[in-house]
Amino acid sequence: MTSKRLLEQPRAGDSTREPVTGKAMHEGAFRNFGKEISPNGHYFTSTREMHYIHKKFACGREEDEQSSGGVLKYGCTAHHLILSGIRLQDQTHPEALSPVREPGHLLPSPVTPHPHASSIIPVPHDRRPSGHADKEVMAATVLTTLSTSPLVLNPSSSASDLASKGWKESLSASYSSSTSGNWSWDASDQSVPSTPSPPLSNDAGKSFLLSSQSDDNNEDTESTHFLFEDPIPRKRKNSMKVMFKCLWKNCEKVLSTSSGIQRHIRTVHLGRNGDSDYSDGEEDFYYSEIEVNMDTLSEGLSNLTPTSPTTSGPAPVFPVLTGDVSRSEPARMIHTPLSQSAPSALCHIRTDHAYQGPMTQIRTVSIGEKRQPVNHTTVSKAHTNNTSASKATTGTRKPRGEAKKCRKVYGMEKRDLWCTACRWKKACQRFTD
DNA sequence: TATGCCGGGCG
DNA sequence: CGCCCGGCATA
């Protein structure tokens, strides 16, 4: 450490310990580079004269670059993030998203730990043949949708789509909160998308997230809350999870999959042989699905983790069971801005035991973004939420830009060519990223 | 370790 | 407000 100064001031000349008369001096002032050794051995040097000299041309340059500097952001962070969010959810149709993507768009690595293809689980696509059941599903779906969230996605498109897709709950709440019982979940269950699903339809644990795109729409939260009197404590987990809660008395077992809960009920409460896949559907009546939605997006402060939840490296690997691969009109509905949930966490609790529509959820989280919100194309949703959400990172410092900064470009030797900000150890103004 | 830059001090 | 630096976070 003692050599730090020395290193940073490569031009240390001879030793005049004159304390900075520099500002007044002119070109010839080299000799004035003071270098002195402090009692503890530190070198101190002053190079102000040089700064003065070079500043002149450095400035012109600065202006040039600055003028062009502001525009380079076209990729809308939020936009992109949404997309990546989708991908996490709807991994069935990754390509469907591409049209939306902007050409020059680069994916900030932190945000997209790429939806690794490995996580895409090919689903056999075995929809139940019974069209009849499908209708019911659809009906139920629509009803649920309408009743819980008035301004959800465009019902027309969503309903049909939803009904036709079997979705599995996705995402993770890595930290679970306890409502009142014992949260536990069955590791075996959740990692097996191809679980031999019980005959009944709900095996897929379908449910869909009602988008609460209006920030102030608490209606759905309320309405859902009164179904279940225990309000699920807000968590600051950004994701949403569907859990299945056993309704047997004194049993508050919560599992993450319907099959799990069914098996639990079967074995524990009905006393049947747990191993058999046999299910007469009776179990269905003994558990309820609870949807726990925690959305980071919410408010700046809610997002404490610097890393994007979407990406969340350590993220639990939940099987995302996407339905219909063959469907041709894929993720359109997905574009609907979703779940900019109210500041607080959202909890959807459903009492229905069986049919639910697919659940979609789009989280928009932007991290690592410019400090000036540059013009976005996605005005529609960008808005307060995104910007504020992006600000969520405020707690942490601005992620280091990838552009080379003055220091890198010019090197220490030419420190005087640096932009002032760099010289002052502030955020570089010249090479913004 | 080097780099970027925030937060804060000083004049 | 300009200038500078300690110290932290990150690559």
Side-chain angles (χ1 to χ4, degrees):
Chain A
M1 266 310 178
T2 52
S3 61
K4 182 182 171 187
R5 299 295 178 102
L6 189 54
L7 291 178
E8 290 194 354
Q9 312 293 349
R11 268 189 262 94
D14 55 17
S15 55
T16 314
R17 98 179 51 100
E18 179 144 328
V20 195
T21 53
K23 276 175 181 169
M25 312 226 21
H26 296 303
E27 278 92 340
F30 284 106
R31 56 162 179 204
N32 249 2
F33 292 159
K35 173 176 79 180
E36 65 180 325
I37 305 179
S38 74
N40 47 358
H42 290 204
Y43 278 99
F44 291 99
T45 61
S46 89
T47 56
R48 294 194 186 221
E49 301 79 14
M50 283 301 280
H51 288 181
Y52 178 76
I53 298 167
H54 291 274
K55 225 168 204 167
K56 290 174 183 158
F57 62 86
C59 284
R61 207 183 227 230
E62 236 166 88
E63 290 179 18
D64 287 349
E65 312 206 9
Q66 275 182 336
S67 60
S68 64
V71 199
L72 36 85
K73 270 304 180 238
Y74 40 87
C76 161
T77 339
H79 192 158
H80 160 253
L81 286 161
I82 294 167
L83 292 180
S84 68
I86 291 174
R87 284 188 58 143
L88 289 182
Q89 309 283 294
D90 178 11
Q91 299 178 340
T92 315
H93 311 284
E95 68 286 351
L97 304 172
S98 55
V100 194
R101 234 194 287 242
E102 323 222 345
H105 198 88
L106 22 95
L107 315 173
S109 61
V111 190
T112 57
H114 271 292
H116 24 273
S118 62
S119 68
I120 299 180
I121 303 157
V123 177
H125 163 224
D126 57 318
R127 250 351 247 157
R128 273 177 324 290
S130 67
H132 191 57
D134 266 24
K135 280 178 184 167
E136 285 184 5
V137 173
M138 187 186 302
T141 296
V142 174
L143 284 179
T144 322
T145 311
L146 291 178
S147 65
T148 41
S149 166
L151 24 115
V152 201
L153 355 131
N154 177 358
S156 61
S157 67
S158 63
S160 57
D161 270 334
L162 302 185
S164 58
K165 293 180 180 170
W167 290 48
K168 181 103 183 171
E169 81 274 31
S170 57
L171 283 208
S172 57
S174 45
Y175 355 56
S176 55
S177 69
S178 58
T179 39
S180 54
N182 37 354
W183 282 97
S184 61
W185 73 65
D186 206 333
S188 68
D189 269 282
Q190 59 192 20
S191 58
V192 191
S194 56
T195 283
S197 41
L200 278 207
S201 60
N202 66 342
D203 65 292
K206 300 167 247 120
S207 61
F208 62 93
L209 168 65
L210 326 152
S211 66
S212 54
Q213 44 200 27
S214 64
D215 308 330
D216 47 358
N217 173 14
N218 350 345
E219 289 188 22
D220 56 341
T221 47
E222 289 175 12
S223 65
T224 49
H225 270 180
F226 84 74
L227 292 179
F228 238 58
E229 60 263 357
D230 73 29
I232 296 190
R234 42 146 73 203
K235 344 177 172 192
R236 45 146 93 151
K237 199 14 199 204
N238 39 21
S239 56
M240 198 202 70
K241 170 115 185 110
V242 179
M243 306 291 289
F244 296 88
K245 182 176 184 179
C246 178
L247 293 181
W248 280 78
K249 249 188 177 177
N250 296 330
C251 177
E252 306 207 342
K253 183 95 172 165
V254 176
L255 293 179
S256 61
T257 61
S258 62
S259 56
I261 198 70
Q262 283 181 7
R263 195 166 55 209
H264 158 81
I265 292 171
R266 242 178 280 150
T267 55
V268 177
H269 301 298
L270 299 180
R272 291 185 190 153
N273 184 353
D275 296 346
S276 70
D277 279 342
Y278 166 76
S279 159
D280 55 4
E282 190 177 348
E283 314 85 11
D284 290 347
F285 296 98
Y286 298 114
Y287 68 85
S288 69
E289 177 181 320
I290 47 182
E291 211 173 287
V292 185
N293 176 11
M294 323 104 174
D295 212 323
T296 4
L297 223 230
S298 36
E299 302 288 63
L301 61 128
S302 71
N303 180 1
L304 292 190
T305 55
T307 56
S308 159
T310 340
T311 76
S312 69
V317 252
F318 279 125
V320 178
L321 182 19
T322 53
D324 231 320
V325 186
S326 63
R327 287 283 298 183
S328 58
E329 90 168 290
R332 192 156 98 286
M333 51 170 276
I334 283 175
H335 298 324
T336 51
L338 279 204
S339 78
Q340 321 235 335
S341 59
S344 59
L346 253 203
C347 276
H348 295 297
I349 300 175
R350 283 211 211 97
T351 52
D352 73 292
H353 51 283
Y355 308 117
Q356 267 138 21
M359 125 168 98
T360 60
Q361 168 191 335
I362 298 171
R363 199 150 354 88
T364 65
V365 183
S366 54
I367 59 171
E369 79 148 36
K370 286 213 63 78
R371 86 184 75 169
Q372 320 175 340
V374 210
N375 52 354
H376 285 234
T377 38
T378 49
V379 190
S380 54
K381 76 169 305 143
H383 251 344
T384 52
N385 258 344
N386 279 336
T387 46
S388 65
S390 61
K391 239 2 197 174
T393 25
T394 38
T396 59
R397 52 171 61 194
K398 159 182 168 183
R400 189 188 299 194
E402 39 197 296
K404 290 204 167 192
K405 306 295 162 111
C406 296
R407 184 191 187 97
K408 253 311 190 26
V409 173
Y410 301 112
M412 287 306 300
E413 319 74 52
K414 295 181 192 148
R415 186 172 176 180
D416 25 53
L417 296 183
W418 296 5
C419 68
T420 40
C422 277
R423 255 181 283 126
W424 299 345
K425 292 168 87 175
K426 296 292 183 191
C428 180
Q429 303 171 328
R430 185 173 299 167
F431 306 105
T432 58
D433 29 35

